[in-house]
Amino acid sequence: MSRSDTPLHLRKTLWITILFSLISVVSWEFFWRSRGRIPDLPDDKFLWAQTRAKVENPDASSVVIIGSSRTLFNLQIPEWQKMTGVKPIQLSTAGGNPIPVLEDIIEHTNYAGTLIVGVTPGIFFSKISKDSRSWSRTQKRIDFYHKRTYADRLNHFLSIPLQNNLAFLTASENEWADDIDLKSLLRATKWGVRTGKENDPPFNSFQYLDIDRNTRMSDRCAHDTTFANTVKRVWKSHNKKAKKSPKDEAVLYVSKLVKKFKDRGGNIVFLRSPSTGFYKEQEAKNQPREEFWDVLLEKTGVKGYHYDDYESLKNFDCPEWSHLSGEDADKFTNAFVTLLLKDNVLPQPQNN
Amino acid sequence: MVFNSLGFIVFFAVILVLYYGPFLGWVNKKRMLLFSSYVFYGLWNPPLIILLWISTMVDWIAGNKIYHETKPNRRKFWLWVSMVVNLGFLAFFKYGNFLLENFISFVNLAGFSYEPLPMNIILPMGISFYTFQTMSYTIDVYQRKLEPAKTFLDFALYVTFFPQLVAGPIVRAGDLITQFYEEKKATVDLFIWGLFLLTLGLFEKIVMADTMFSGAADAVFNADKNLNFWDAWAGVLAFSAQIFFDFAGYSTCAIGISYMLGFTLTDNFLYPYGSIGFSEFWRRWHISLSSWLRDYLYIPLGGNRFGLTRMYVALMLTMLLGGLWHGAAWTFVFWGFLHGTYLIIERMLKGRFRFEMNWWNGLLLAGLTFTLVNITWVFFRAEDFATAWNIITAMVTGFGEGEKVLGYFDLTKVFVLSGILFLTHYYMRHHTVRMVTSSAGPWITGIAWATMVFLICISHGQGEQFIYFQF
């Protein structure tokens, strides 16, 4: 690549490149929009870390939500803010165990506000193992937060406007079957069965996320039974080997953390969100309430809200057995916050 | 900061505006480039800039002292100061944990129980590159091959020049410092050519290394199972392609960015997988490192001046240390050992077989070289010898047996693309990118360039680090 034999017509080459690049990228964007894709932020470690940073300097009235996907989908930040005047910090992770986040906040911050801890029984009460999928899923984000560089922050800051405006940039570290980056498109290409994994049902994205990590179920999942059934097949596939959780292990681990948090003046609440169908049956079998949820509340001495105990929280339908539609999530949030205010778990909103 | 990131696009755009705008004179432009280089490095871990400053200060002082001193002992003293500081950084930051682990194993073996706390040393990005680069400066000044840099600014910029700071090419002072003495400005054609090379480098990294090959390589090397013959070979070929595209992509970006600023960096890769034999491979793979090792290690160890045995010893020591340069693990040393063995066997056989080389037997020998190079990559990529041995076993005996971790599409993708990679390298042995684009003409080149831009856009990775940053 010596400089002496520069090819001729480089300016012409550059113009041709610009023209064809624009045509191809714009066509690609329109193609995906014509297939119903809209710009969406990915639920990734960068956005999670950006949100986690808010816990470092919270004000006295702040609320932090930790949990798995149910608190992510079911607690709607705009509705919460409308009712209390406080925008909660959403740190739930789909498929992730909230205990590492609880530990991180208690051990590595001075946070002493309100913590809402979502309890998805199959995840929360699973064996305490840092190698488990649900634990490492959350731990990876925590580790990234503590190690992220200024370059990571700058890149994420610059990526937001692009991802908010271009549908073809939709991608996720969850590796959804319908992601549209090149790697995902290649991954989705299957020629016959060789490894056996090809038999797994495709796991398509069924949510939208905003910059505050407020997550809403897609209308397609909420209203299209066929699509919701594809998600149900995935839940069945993921849980076909589900076993009864070990008793007391998670409760003992969490109790110590909760005591430390309460000792420094923190306010903590557990929330058990609704589940239906297959999940409800699995959870009743593998994590029966009286052996897990009730014991958790007893050993930690913490107020807990189980959807079955409150008229306003029960009778919701989960289109895919585990999460609420956007509209129902608004209602659920409203009902839950009303209970928290009534029980003085949250300070009464100031009327300006 | 990495080239394959949005942050870099903004960073470089600001630099270009300041560099080509009417705001700064040449000295201030160089100051701006130096400051930008520190920002480029500091966005990763600001405190570690201090190491760069120490290395720069020590070698600047040592270089001047060595040049102006007349007494041999004092000259030697300042050379030692430079070596001790730079190699000391490497020993502590890169090899500290490795040395401790081996020390523990040794004392435990001797019957003593010793379990110190882990040191948790952060490996500063690119430390192997900039320490080797600054050492070459003081050694060249010591050997009277080079005059010291005219100003501290020129020297500091040579050490820190952001396009090649963290992963090379390891540029010799004589090739770069002198370029800073006079104002540099790219012509429009050179600027466009630099932009083309930057795109090509990003395509190699984002599309080829991270999108096409990394998945298969990771699936195989992380499998922890007895693998099937085809999966093992596909994983190794995928890593072979991944590391080439990753590292050559970085070098191509660095060269392209330098062109856009009006500077020239030396080539670091010349289609190594088309090499016929291992001597040629090392003249084409990571050229700036292999020439550094040749000039500052192999030749001082005697080179070929003291007979065959001494030459073989020098060659093996050079390759063993070259392996260790890549990583603080015995698997890297073994990788160097394999390459040293290949080179020694090649030299022993050279001259015993005389035949006329043509396209076909050349292709056969290049294929043999490529295959043997692939075997060495197993030890380079594997976490430990057990994993490496599992893969080697599957590559030799796993036909029809073992775990299948790759689907038919992935297998086909890896074998077809690796085949194309090999044949392209073989064809390009006697060509350059410039020759190919010249003969293709602006339309074909423009469409190919646009295709690369399009594939980069639709791949939009998450700014994965280049593999060689960890070395």
Side-chain angles (χ1 to χ4, degrees), chain A residues 1-3 5-6 155 194, chain B residues 7 231 259 264 406 434 458:
Chain A
M1 283 178 247
S2 69
R3 287 164 62 166
D5 54 343
T6 306
N155 291 331
R194 185 170 186 270
Chain B
D231 297 72
Y259 277 169
T264 304
L406 299 174
R434 196 175 297 260
I458 72 167

Side-chain angles (χ1 to χ4, degrees), chain A residues 221-275:
Chain A
C221 186
H223 303 301
D224 179 346
T225 314
T226 311
F227 182 85
N229 285 340
T230 66
V231 183
K232 286 179 180 174
R233 275 199 289 278
V234 174
W235 297 151
K236 277 202 161 175
S237 165
H238 282 185
N239 290 279
K240 61 189 166 196
K241 289 180 187 165
K243 291 184 291 195
K244 188 159 183 173
S245 296
K247 271 189 194 173
D248 296 339
E249 199 172 330
V251 174
L252 282 173
Y253 198 92
V254 169
S255 299
K256 290 177 195 157
L257 294 171
V258 167
K259 182 177 181 310
K260 193 168 180 182
F261 186 62
K262 287 199 322 194
D263 285 350
R264 73 181 187 210
N267 182 25
I268 188 164
V269 171
F270 289 118
L271 169 65
R272 169 72 164 89
S273 286
S275 53

Side-chain angles (χ1 to χ4, degrees), chain A residues 26-42:
Chain A
V26 170
S27 305
W28 190 247
E29 173 70 10
F30 278 110
F31 169 73
W32 286 110
R33 282 180 185 258
S34 73
R35 302 277 298 260
R37 304 305 287 251
I38 57 170
D40 181 33
L41 285 181

Side-chain angles (χ1 to χ4, degrees), chain B residues 286-311:
Chain B
H286 201 174
I287 299 162
S288 63
L289 175 69
S290 45
S291 60
W292 197 102
L293 292 172
R294 180 197 62 208
D295 294 345
Y296 301 109
L297 196 58
Y298 173 68
I299 292 174
L301 284 170
N304 58 5
R305 289 166 296 164
F306 302 103
L308 276 178
T309 309
R310 178 82 180 263
M311 182 184 77

